Amino acid sequence: MLALRLIERKRDGGHIEPGEWRALAYAYAAGHVPDYQMASFLMACFLRGLDRSETHALTDAMLHSGDSLDLAYLNRPRIDKHSTGGVGDKVSLVLAPLIASLGVAVPMMSGRGLGHTGGTLDKLESIPGFDTRMPLLEARRLIETLNCALFGQTEEIAPADRKMYALRDATGTVESIPLIAASIMSKKLAEGLTGLVLDVKRGSGAFLPQLERGLELAKTMIELGADHNCPVVALVTAMDRPLGRACGNALEMEESIHALKGEGPADLMEVTYALGSEMLLLAGAARTGAEALQMMEQAIADGSAARHFQRIIEAQGGNPSVVDDPAILPQANEVEIFVAPRRGFISRVEPRAIGRGITALGGGRTKMDDKLDLSVGFVITARPGDWVEAGEPLATVFARDRAGIDSGRATLRTAIAIADEANPPLALVSHRVSAAGVEVLAAG
Ligand code: URA
């Protein structure tokens, strides 16, 4: 009865009251509202939108449909980073141990890859033995002792969001800014944070490719954070090409380990340091961006960030020797170099095509229960703007078998474009958004 009334009201452009959002979210999480009614309600929300008070009420309703981490007793700043997702985006794997090694608690609850984007949990699980499934109590114990837990959304956290997000994914209602903002923030607020840094991707490989939509999402999440006493800062970063060189689960883990040891590609390090600086500033652990950068560079140079990752891996059941010997990660059976078919400028390395290519190789999902081959993917050394000669190596394909190599080669032929003219890529870190407004950091 309640659901039908709310569907009709939202369909006709009416307003849903906070108590009604709460009642609906609880009833749905408890199985008292069928999926067909919730799907219809979500479509009405998608088409009609939510105002600020409705977005706030939905966030609260989903947050309070489950448990929270409640880490206030730690008396330590607790900061997480969330990315809207991309290809080759392994920043969380570097940032979590790095920032935790500097005394800031990082309760990092992450997701799995779906569609063309990768997921932090899958990448972590390429480490032999590494377990990302844990009850909240265990996550709390790890954060207490190591400042960090790398885990997935448990049954206890925002169960209403869990069910609603899965339903939205199957009913064409994901790309709604208020629904996305409420979904992400309900989970992040359940981590008991004192601050959150958002990496909002833009460009052809981003979930929301247009800058304006990314900025709107950032502003909505900043408002939700402010309503809950959790300051949020967002950086807009480029996803018109993959980040770093490695794309694929175990390959990205290997690149992240190299990054923690001071051997990361320049673009990956620039994004990692930009987001890490915001985390350290929000935590009050650094007073200026320059001080934050110096702290992070030092933790990488003196080995403390890599050693901290080893401790986290061990505590989560993984083999810590992977940090010294990344060769223990899953290895692809077949490896082949891809060369430039002609001379010219690299004008495009299309992230969506690369992401779909990883899925075709068996390294990504089209359905949530797909089983992955964590060893497969690409290492792409060619960057937009580079001049290349015919026959010059541009990338490497890692596949399960020869058919995979053929599929990988076809992916790279489509994804990597060579032209007579250079086509400048988007600025890597272009905007900073906070409660004070939008700052342009770099043009383009
Ligand atoms: N990620 C989420 O957790 N929720 C959304 O709605 C979209 C992306």
Side-chain angles (χ1 to χ4, degrees):
M1 196 55 213
L2 166 80
L4 178 59
R5 235 180 337 108
L6 299 186
I7 293 167
E8 288 172 346
R9 195 175 332 137
K10 204 46 165 159
R11 178 198 66 194
D12 298 337
H15 182 87
I16 311 288
E17 298 300 328
E20 293 173 320
W21 286 105
R22 223 167 17 246
L24 184 65
Y26 288 10
Y28 183 58
H32 302 319
V33 171
D35 280 349
Y36 61 82
Q37 282 194 314
M38 190 48 116
S40 171
F41 178 74
L42 289 168
M43 184 57 84
C45 292
F46 182 93
L47 296 172
R48 289 290 188 173
L50 271 59
D51 65 23
R52 179 169 176 176
S53 77
E54 289 181 306
T55 312
H56 176 109
L58 171 60
T59 308
D60 261 3
M62 294 197 296
L63 165 65
H64 296 301
S65 70
D67 236 332
S68 294
L69 255 173
D70 188 15
L71 296 165
Y73 69 94
L74 281 183
N75 275 330
R76 249 176 273 165
R78 302 173 300 279
I79 315 284
D80 193 6
K81 188 259 339 178
H82 177 84
S83 161
T84 57
V87 176
D89 180 7
K90 71 272 299 168
V91 171
S92 290
L93 303 175
V94 186
L95 212 42
L98 171 60
I99 299 301
S101 78
L102 292 167
V104 176
V106 185
M108 192 169 271
M109 190 168 62
S110 308
R112 298 199 177 273
L114 188 65
H116 73 280
T117 63
T120 298
L121 295 183
D122 301 320
K123 295 169 198 178
L124 285 166
E125 286 173 4
S126 67
I127 298 175
F130 197 97
D131 193 359
T132 58
R133 287 158 307 171
M134 64 182 80
L136 277 187
L137 213 59
E138 176 63 5
R140 194 177 289 152
R141 191 187 67 76
L142 290 175
I143 295 161
E144 240 175 68
T145 52
L146 289 170
N147 272 338
C148 187
L150 300 166
F151 61 111
Q153 183 177 4
T154 67
E155 301 283 327
E156 306 131 286
I157 291 230
D161 166 69
R162 220 176 134 83
K163 270 187 92 176
M164 273 155 79
Y165 186 31
L167 190 62
R168 284 168 53 217
D169 200 43
T171 56
T173 48
V174 169
E175 289 90 355
S176 150
I177 286 178
L179 294 182
I180 296 171
S183 165
I184 296 173
M185 287 305 284
S186 66
K187 289 174 285 217
K188 292 292 151 189
L189 292 166
E191 293 176 356
L193 301 177
T194 58
L196 173 67
V197 176
L198 280 178
D199 181 1
V200 177
K201 301 291 185 193
R202 72 161 166 154
S204 55
F207 187 44
L208 299 172
Q210 288 129 1
L211 174 63
E212 295 66 34
R213 299 263 290 158
L215 291 176
E216 196 186 329
L217 177 65
K219 285 182 202 156
T220 309
M221 290 176 62
I222 287 166
E223 284 175 359
L224 287 173
D227 292 345
H228 290 88
N229 218 7
C230 173
V232 177
V233 172
L235 295 181
V236 178
T237 70
M239 188 40 66
D240 57 339
R241 68 277 190 184
L243 185 63
R245 300 186 195 109
C247 303
N249 296 294
L251 296 166
E252 291 187 45
M253 178 48 76
E254 179 171 353
E255 187 166 85
S256 305
I257 291 170
H258 288 308
L260 278 166
K261 296 199 283 191
E263 295 149 16
D267 61 342
L268 172 62
M269 296 322 292
E270 185 179 336
V271 174
T272 301
Y273 285 148
L275 293 162
S277 290
E278 297 294 349
M279 291 174 81
L280 292 171
L281 290 168
L282 273 179
R287 278 158 305 181
T288 63
E291 188 187 349
L293 180 61
Q294 192 267 331
M295 287 165 70
M296 290 185 286
E297 285 177 340
Q298 175 74 27
I300 286 185
D302 68 15
S304 51
R307 276 197 307 279
H308 203 78
F309 193 34
Q310 252 172 339
R311 287 200 281 275
I312 295 167
I313 293 170
E314 193 163 26
Q316 294 197 217
N319 183 348
S321 23
V322 71
V323 174
D324 298 319
D325 180 16
I328 66 173
L329 290 166
Q331 301 292 314
N333 295 331
E334 299 282 343
V335 178
E336 194 171 288
I337 291 181
F338 177 82
V339 301
R342 55 163 285 195
R343 72 199 304 248
F345 288 103
I346 302 288
S347 61
R348 188 166 48 83
V349 180
E350 180 50 53
R352 261 178 211 263
I354 298 293
R356 290 197 192 110
I358 296 170
T359 303
L361 290 174
R365 293 187 181 77
T366 51
K367 298 189 302 310
M368 228 35 227
D369 54 357
D370 284 347
K371 178 128 184 49
L372 301 188
D373 181 338
L374 298 172
S375 71
V376 300
F378 304 95
V379 172
I380 305 167
T381 45
R383 313 298 305 163
D386 289 353
W387 172 265
V388 294
E389 293 294 336
E392 196 176 316
L394 303 181
T396 309
V397 184
F398 295 79
R400 192 169 13 208
D401 49 29
R402 291 312 299 171
I405 293 290
D406 292 342
S407 153
R409 227 188 283 118
T411 292
L412 293 174
R413 270 199 301 268
T414 322
I416 304 179
I418 302 178
D420 295 334
E421 307 269 314
N423 177 22
L426 293 174
L428 191 55
V429 183
S430 59
H431 297 74
R432 179 178 188 274
V433 195
S434 68
V438 180
E439 220 180 307
V440 180
L441 303 176

